[in-house]
Amino acid sequence: MPKKPKSGTREKVASTVAPLAENLILELASRGSGRRPIEMRHVARLRKAALSCSKTACLSACDRIASQGIGFDDIADLYVPAVARTLGEDWVDDRISLASTSVGAAMLQWLLGALEQAHLHSDIAVDGPGVLLMVPAGEHHRLGAVLLGQQLRRRGFWVRPMLQARAESSQPPLQRRLNATMISASPATGMQDLRRLVTAARKATAEASPVLIGGTIADLEPGLADRSGADHVATDVQDALRFCQFEDRSGVSLV
């Protein structure tokens, strides 16, 4: 069982709860252009549903929130990360158990997939630029990466997820050209493993596409790009897209 950090040390807390509430995702959520402030009553409703381990309760909570005029994209981008953050904070402060935290995170991850299938599928562009999205093996919670993949798809990207990626694993051949690789990691992944994964990502792509690293490790490891061999360290999705010189398929330039 992971050890809890001592209270009062922000870096230690961040490294513990990182898999539950990726800084990359929370930063993006806080910058939502034109979006209303998060309402904590909706966060509490969704949190209760996630902890109940009931898929029906989670979907009902989303419908209730949507009935208040909040779009399903905002539920995915703003409310799910907010719930994940409260779960991580409550575990660190001994208000809930590790088992409950894991159950809640798993239900949130399932909910993101259900929202994408039910409400976001029409926004996914199968012919958009290809992005390989990797999460290193050993990262137990993949909620942040799942959400990142959805946000990329809604911006017109085709995403190939590898959510338990190992540098030495043989992967099936890719069916299309990939324009970038994004690795979402926390400090739980050692630097040697991360370097190997960056090297494997370069080999997996037919051409010299950029390899980027994001997630909470970006804020906690100085000189990460040089030490890992990556081309860029991104602290939010907009930064990543600008570095790759991608353009939003809705017509908004990100360069």
Side-chain angles (χ1 to χ4, degrees):
M1 179 181 296
K3 295 181 180 180
K4 293 185 179 181
K6 296 179 181 180
S7 60
T9 304
R10 180 180 179 185
E11 290 76 13
K12 290 184 178 181
V13 172
S15 66
T16 303
V17 304
L20 294 174
E22 300 258 359
N23 284 350
L24 170 68
I25 304 305
L26 294 177
E27 175 67 16
L28 175 65
S30 69
R31 297 183 181 185
S33 177
R35 290 174 171 173
R36 68 176 72 180
I38 292 178
E39 297 185 44
M40 295 309 298
R41 62 191 178 101
H42 296 324
V43 173
R45 176 177 288 115
L46 189 56
R47 169 195 163 92
K48 181 178 179 180
L51 288 175
S52 74
C53 198
S54 167
K55 295 179 180 179
T56 300
C58 288
L59 292 176
S60 297
C62 286
D63 287 339
R64 182 73 178 274
I65 295 171
S67 70
Q68 303 299 307
I70 297 172
F72 287 103
D73 55 343
D74 280 353
I75 294 175
D77 287 353
L78 303 180
Y79 284 90
V80 169
V83 173
R85 180 171 52 191
T86 68
L87 292 176
E89 290 173 348
D90 284 351
W91 174 63
V92 169
D93 292 338
D94 285 317
R95 289 191 289 266
I96 60 175
S97 67
L98 177 60
S100 294
T101 305
S102 299
V103 166
M107 291 306 300
L108 290 176
Q109 185 170 321
W110 173 86
L111 179 60
L112 285 173
L115 286 174
E116 181 174 41
Q117 183 176 7
H119 303 285
L120 306 176
H121 183 74
S122 61
D123 294 330
I124 298 174
V126 297
D127 60 341
V131 174
L132 178 62
L133 177 58
M134 306 179 83
V135 177
E139 298 275 1
H140 297 294
H141 297 283
R142 305 185 294 273
L143 177 61
V146 171
L147 180 51
L148 173 60
Q150 289 189 2
Q151 292 168 332
L152 288 170
R153 291 185 182 102
R154 294 207 306 276
R155 284 168 167 79
F157 294 88
W158 181 88
V159 179
R160 165 70 181 274
M162 292 183 180
L163 300 183
Q164 282 290 300
R166 297 180 183 274
E168 65 274 13
S169 299
S170 59
Q171 300 292 346
L174 298 173
Q175 301 300 314
R176 53 168 295 161
R177 178 179 181 272
L178 292 173
N179 302 91
T181 299
M182 298 184 185
I183 301 174
S184 177
S186 77
T189 298
M191 191 57 60
Q192 185 175 6
D193 290 335
L194 196 57
R195 284 198 302 270
R196 290 173 177 170
L197 200 58
V198 170
T199 300
R202 296 195 188 282
K203 293 180 180 179
T205 55
E207 300 182 22
S209 58
V211 178
L212 294 80
I213 296 177
T216 51
I217 195 171
D219 293 323
L220 301 176
E221 291 285 350
L224 181 58
D226 289 337
R227 295 171 63 195
S228 66
D231 296 295
H232 185 64
V233 175
T235 55
D236 62 69
V237 69
Q238 296 293 85
D239 177 28
L241 298 183
R242 289 192 190 97
F243 179 82
C244 296
Q245 297 185 344
F246 286 143
E247 183 176 286
D248 191 302
R249 288 171 67 85
S250 65
V252 178
S253 176
L254 297 171
V255 179

